[in-house]
Amino acid sequence: MHHTNPFPIKLLSIAIISTFSINQHVYAEEIVSEKIITAPIVVTATRVEQNSFDLPVAIDVVESKDIQNGQLQMTLSESLIRVPGITAQNRNNQAQDPQISTRGFGSRSSFGVRGVRVYVDGIPLTMPDGQGQPGVVDLSAIKSIEVMRGPFSALYGNSSGGVIQMLTKDAPKTNEVGGTVMFGSYGTKRQILETTGTAEQIEYMLNVSNFETDGYRDHNSGKKQQATAKFKINITDDTKLTTLVNWFEQEAQDPLGLTREVAFSKPESAGVGAIDSNTRVYRSHTQVGFNLEHRINTNNGISLMSYVGTRENEQYLALPSQAPVNANGRASEISRDFWGADLRWDNNGEILHRPYNISMGFTYGKMNDDRTDTNADFGTKRTTNIPNNTNFGLNRREQNISYNFDQYIQGKLSLSNNLDIHAGARHTKVNLEVKDDFITGTSANGDNSGKVEYQKTTPVIGTIWKVNPQLNLYANFGKGFETPTFIESAFASSAANSTPNLALRPSESKNYELGAKAFLNDNTQAKLTLFKVTTDDEIVTLDNISGRVSYTNANKTNRTGMEFSIDSQLDNNISLYAAYTLLNAKFDSDFTNNLGRTILSGNKIPGTYRSQLYGEIAWKYRPLGFSTALEGRHNSKVYVDDINSDVAPSYTIFNVRAGFEQQLGQWSINEYLRIENMFDKDYIGGVRINDGNSRFFEPGTDRNYLLGLSAKYKFN
């Protein structure tokens, strides 16, 4: 039995919507009937649409208003800070992806996102080795983001401490065209153009955008152009084909990290070596995905998803100045081709008069990286190489090939009207292979080719007890599996002539979860989750010097915590929302690595915050189309390395946003203003984990503003 809403529909308010013409203002009263609290329908948890309230899963939905209203819409961290269990730090650095982790998984990431799988419309943005690229998707084209934590994430495969799925906008029945312009502090500018609609049997959405900024810090400028196209062809009533195209090009300077002293005395400055080495990144990415869905009958359906793409990444890294024969930087280049597919069968029906549904399928993904590492002088690659001396030019040239082939099954059986069992399993096989193409015959540059294979079956089971229409209780258990990424397998040490590190073992975890979901009254919903995760062979940083990071396996780690959120709609169009996360992520045994550095049992996993709190109070005044909100965010202190030698201090910041909306005939116009860090608090926005030069700190921005104007025209 599904609960779309356990309470009757109530009259929310009588709204006076303003419409304007050139000669006069006409005010019309409109009675608005809507549900105070609804549990959203989600697809990520079970791969078929189900009510989130009736699932034994910690899953939250970020709606379009929280993604786009008063937001720059450039990084996922803007939207995910409101989700319990998620750490989403905006590093204010376009050269690096935001730091996103869930329950401590992914906190060690230096480049990209790992430990969390990322999708858009079911198409993976996470590569077969587990490294994700969330910056592929333009958030202005997204209608919602589903964020799942806990055991059931393992059903999405390797490196799944959590799953983030972005869902693009659906086309309206009538054609629309619109645009947005934004201006903000630090020379920030953004423009967005979008057209959506339906023509014949084709629903379409086209979105293009441009972004430029000088950045808060020195050597911090960036620019990015993006395009998104979505076409949904309704071939028949039972067969639909959706095509999604994502493209972007980006250039950004990297201001690097700062020492504690500099971070709080000159937070706007660039790190040592950033300017001399001209640290920066160039990226381009093109991806095309297809999803063919066919309903065979009322009980059966199949879907085939496939995708293909290319990515170019050129990153300039700083090195300390040494003898004249050495470079003062490096250029790391990756040219990637990737593709994959997923075939799934969905079935529902009854067993002994009890309803069930089941999904099963298999997925394949492959990527091929052509990778080079070249010495650089003041941000310029050296183009010549002296034989047998890698200090002068090329250090590395190789192919990194990874593929995965997985099979999965998951389903639900209703044992009674108020008790459901959910279960599933996934068998994952991941291969990493290095083909060395830089063999000089010297001992330093022998043939470093090699390959490794990882396999694991990860089962999960959960149950939900529907105590009454207002309260659901659930319990889950599952196993997790996280293989090293190619970034983590790149170097066995921080030495310039390091070989690949294919001896890394995958980490394996056991995940326990208890939760409750409740409608406290007819306008308030609350969710509470308790969890415990034990992990063996945690992948940790061995060394991190001048952008050359090596990893190793520690022994045991332990993560325990609580997630709580409450959402309430009050009288007079006032709403309240709060999300709190308590996390104790620690090493659970002593470990001494081969550099002689000891991690003590009880040390906190770096990059994890013991407590995080987000709160928001919002108000709408419908007669004027006015809305405003006050946001507050608190993060506790965070350790910056495995040995817990230093911390970034706790901080609390407040933001405010406000806007107007008008209807001028067929036009909808919005103006909005956002002020971040309104009390001008000095704080650390992100940390560089285990930095070998003790430049751990990336300062948050001072008080800054964003001003936006958007307009949309709806055709008859």
Side-chain angles (χ1 to χ4, degrees):
M1 177 179 177
H2 297 301
H3 306 296
T4 56
N5 186 352
F7 299 102
I9 298 175
K10 293 195 171 185
L11 183 63
L12 178 61
S13 64
I14 297 178
I16 301 176
I17 300 178
S18 303
T19 57
F20 300 88
S21 65
I22 296 177
N23 297 320
Q24 61 181 352
H25 299 288
V26 179
Y27 294 95
E29 292 187 354
E30 180 179 286
I31 297 178
V32 180
S33 297
E34 59 182 89
K35 299 176 181 180
I36 301 284
I37 291 291
T38 59
I41 302 298
V42 296
V43 298
T44 304
T46 59
R47 293 182 170 84
V48 294
E49 291 186 348
Q50 291 199 44
N51 187 317
S52 60
F53 188 73
D54 287 341
L55 294 172
V57 175
I59 187 167
D60 286 85
V61 177
V62 183
E63 300 175 348
S64 60
K65 64 181 180 63
D66 299 313
I67 300 170
Q68 295 161 7
N69 289 0
Q71 299 279 20
L72 186 60
Q73 307 162 45
M74 282 304 298
T75 67
L76 273 175
S77 58
E78 301 170 22
S79 307
L80 298 187
I81 58 172
R82 63 188 297 114
V83 179
I86 293 288
T87 295
Q89 297 295 97
N90 185 354
R91 309 170 75 170
N92 302 297
N93 183 351
Q94 297 295 317
Q96 304 290 347
D97 285 303
Q99 291 180 319
I100 297 175
S101 62
T102 172
R103 299 181 179 177
F105 288 99
S107 62
R108 70 178 183 273
S109 177
S110 297
F111 300 96
V113 173
R114 65 208 65 170
V116 182
R117 297 194 72 88
V118 186
Y119 293 81
V120 56
D121 290 346
I123 300 167
L125 303 180
T126 297
M127 294 295 102
D129 66 341
Q131 181 176 337
Q133 310 288 350
V136 172
V137 179
D138 192 332
L139 292 179
S140 61
I142 298 300
K143 70 174 181 181
S144 64
I145 304 172
E146 297 181 5
V147 184
M148 182 170 67
R149 294 89 65 201
F152 277 88
S153 302
L155 294 178
Y156 279 83
N158 162 48
S159 192
S160 51
V163 178
I164 298 172
Q165 174 145 224
M166 293 170 279
L167 301 173
T168 55
K169 296 177 181 177
D170 296 319
K173 295 301 181 182
T174 57
N175 297 338
E176 298 177 0
V177 62
T180 300
V181 292
M182 303 182 196
F183 303 93
S185 302
Y186 326 122
T188 298
K189 291 176 277 189
R190 189 154 195 251
Q191 305 89 33
I192 305 167
L193 290 175
E194 182 178 77
T195 180
T196 62
T198 303
E200 301 296 335
Q201 297 297 314
I202 301 177
E203 302 172 19
Y204 66 91
M205 184 268 292
L206 302 172
N207 180 290
V208 295
S209 68
N210 177 69
F211 168 76
E212 300 173 58
T213 184
D214 295 331
Y216 166 59
R217 299 172 58 193
D218 297 335
H219 198 72
N220 196 191
S221 66
K223 57 183 179 180
K224 187 176 186 180
Q225 295 81 41
Q226 291 182 271
T228 303
K230 178 181 176 181
F231 303 96
K232 185 175 182 179
I233 305 174
N234 299 300
I235 301 173
T236 68
D237 290 342
D238 295 325
T239 305
K240 297 176 174 57
L241 175 64
T242 302
T243 302
L244 182 66
V245 182
N246 299 102
W247 168 88
F248 80 80
E249 284 190 356
Q250 180 182 21
E251 299 179 25
Q253 296 175 322
D254 189 345
L256 302 180
L258 302 175
T259 62
R260 167 181 284 276
E261 178 184 2
V262 177
F264 283 97
S265 61
K266 296 181 180 179
E268 73 283 355
S269 61
V272 173
I275 296 176
D276 286 346
S277 299
N278 194 12
T279 50
R280 64 197 189 277
V281 68
Y282 299 101
R283 295 189 184 112
S284 65
H285 186 110
T286 303
Q287 179 169 320
V288 182
F290 304 92
N291 190 3
L292 178 64
E293 301 172 280
H294 177 65
R295 185 177 62 185
I296 300 172
N297 52 42
T298 57
N299 300 110
N300 294 278
I302 59 172
S303 64
L304 173 63
M305 181 276 297
S306 62
Y307 62 94
V308 62
T310 62
R311 185 180 181 91
E312 304 291 330
N313 196 98
E314 184 180 33
Q315 190 111 24
Y316 283 81
L317 306 166
L319 291 177
S321 298
Q322 300 174 12
V325 297
N326 289 339
N328 77 337
R330 290 169 35 234
S332 178
E333 297 176 86
I334 294 175
S335 180
R336 173 176 299 165
D337 297 317
F338 61 92
W339 60 93
D342 183 286
L343 178 63
R344 187 182 80 243
W345 169 58
D346 299 314
N347 172 258
N348 66 81
E350 289 188 352
I351 297 178
L352 299 176
H353 305 292
R354 302 308 308 168
Y356 76 89
N357 61 57
I358 190 169
S359 297
M360 62 178 67
F362 61 86
T363 181
Y364 177 84
K366 185 171 184 179
M367 73 173 191
N368 190 331
D369 290 356
D370 289 326
R371 175 177 179 173
T372 60
D373 189 288
T374 311
N375 286 338
D377 294 299
F378 305 103
T380 302
K381 283 187 299 182
R382 291 183 177 177
T383 56
T384 59
N385 192 64
I386 294 178
N388 304 328
N389 190 335
T390 61
N391 285 329
F392 277 81
L394 190 65
N395 295 321
R396 198 165 188 166
R397 184 175 61 227
E398 64 194 31
Q399 287 186 66
N400 294 163
I401 303 168
S402 176
Y403 76 84
N404 73 287
F405 180 60
D406 299 8
Q407 306 86 44
Y408 60 87
I409 182 172
Q410 72 178 109
K412 180 196 79 171
L413 174 64
S414 296
L415 299 180
S416 68
N417 289 337
N418 62 354
L419 185 65
D420 295 340
I421 296 290
H422 291 252
R426 185 175 183 119
H427 177 75
T428 298
K429 181 171 75 171
V430 178
N431 276 62
L432 304 182
E433 182 178 3
V434 175
K435 291 184 178 180
D436 193 357
D437 195 29
F438 183 50
I439 304 171
T440 64
T442 68
S443 59
N445 289 307
D447 189 349
N448 292 318
S449 300
K451 60 182 177 180
V452 63
E453 179 179 286
Y454 309 102
Q455 290 198 61
K456 187 70 175 179
T457 298
T458 51
V460 61
I461 187 169
T463 183
I464 186 163
W465 176 31
K466 304 167 188 176
V467 180
N468 56 49
Q470 294 81 40
L471 175 64
N472 285 349
L473 304 177
Y474 64 90
N476 300 319
F477 170 76
K479 292 187 176 182
F481 177 60
E482 184 175 357
T483 68
T485 66
F486 259 124
I487 293 294
E488 292 163 341
S489 300
F491 303 106
S493 73
S494 58
N497 60 353
S498 173
T499 60
N501 186 7
L502 297 179
L504 271 177
R505 299 183 299 276
S507 61
E508 300 182 11
S509 59
K510 296 179 179 179
N511 197 329
Y512 307 84
E513 187 177 65
L514 296 173
K517 303 178 182 181
F519 290 95
L520 302 182
N521 53 44
D522 62 356
N523 64 357
T524 301
Q525 182 182 10
K527 291 181 282 188
L528 174 68
T529 306
L530 306 176
F531 61 87
K532 178 181 176 66
V533 186
T534 59
T535 304
D536 294 322
D537 291 327
E538 182 90 23
I539 299 172
V540 299
T541 303
L542 174 64
D543 208 1
N544 182 356
I545 298 179
S546 305
R548 190 175 278 115
V549 188
S550 56
Y551 294 84
T552 189
N553 292 101
N555 295 328
K556 298 179 181 297
T557 59
N558 190 308
R559 296 167 170 88
T560 57
M562 175 188 74
E563 300 163 1
F564 175 75
S565 67
I566 186 167
D567 191 359
S568 186
Q569 304 289 328
L570 306 180
D571 294 335
N572 302 312
N573 293 315
I574 297 174
S575 64
L576 299 174
Y577 175 80
Y580 177 71
T581 303
L582 178 67
L583 173 64
N584 183 16
K586 64 180 182 178
F587 293 94
D588 218 23
S589 61
D590 292 348
F591 169 72
T592 301
N593 64 33
N594 56 14
L595 295 181
R597 187 181 296 118
T598 298
I599 303 172
L600 298 176
S601 178
N603 277 15
K604 305 302 182 184
I605 296 176
T608 63
Y609 297 82
R610 181 171 178 81
S611 61
Q612 297 181 101
L613 175 64
Y614 174 84
E616 176 184 294
I617 178 170
W619 175 59
K620 293 181 180 178
Y621 186 61
R622 296 184 185 275
L624 291 180
F626 175 74
S627 63
T628 186
L630 175 66
E631 310 166 3
R633 183 184 187 188
H634 171 79
N635 278 26
S636 65
K637 69 180 182 181
V638 59
Y639 288 95
V640 299
D641 58 10
D642 294 328
I643 62 175
N644 292 180
S645 66
D646 204 349
V647 296
S650 64
Y651 66 88
T652 303
I653 59 173
F654 293 92
N655 311 317
V656 65
R657 66 178 190 266
F660 288 90
E661 179 179 358
Q662 303 93 39
Q663 295 289 329
L664 288 78
Q666 292 168 255
W667 286 94
S668 298
I669 299 178
N670 292 268
E671 308 91 7
Y672 52 87
L673 171 68
R674 180 179 184 85
I675 300 177
E676 293 212 352
N677 193 8
M678 56 191 296
F679 298 115
D680 207 18
K681 172 77 172 179
D682 292 333
Y683 71 102
I684 301 301
V687 293
R688 296 196 172 211
I689 303 299
N690 290 303
D691 186 85
N693 298 306
S694 297
R695 302 186 190 113
F696 304 112
F697 305 101
E698 294 183 304
T701 56
D702 58 11
R703 184 190 299 115
N704 62 93
Y705 76 93
L706 178 69
L707 184 65
L709 171 66
S710 64
K712 181 169 62 178
Y713 182 82
K714 182 181 294 187
F715 294 88
N716 290 326

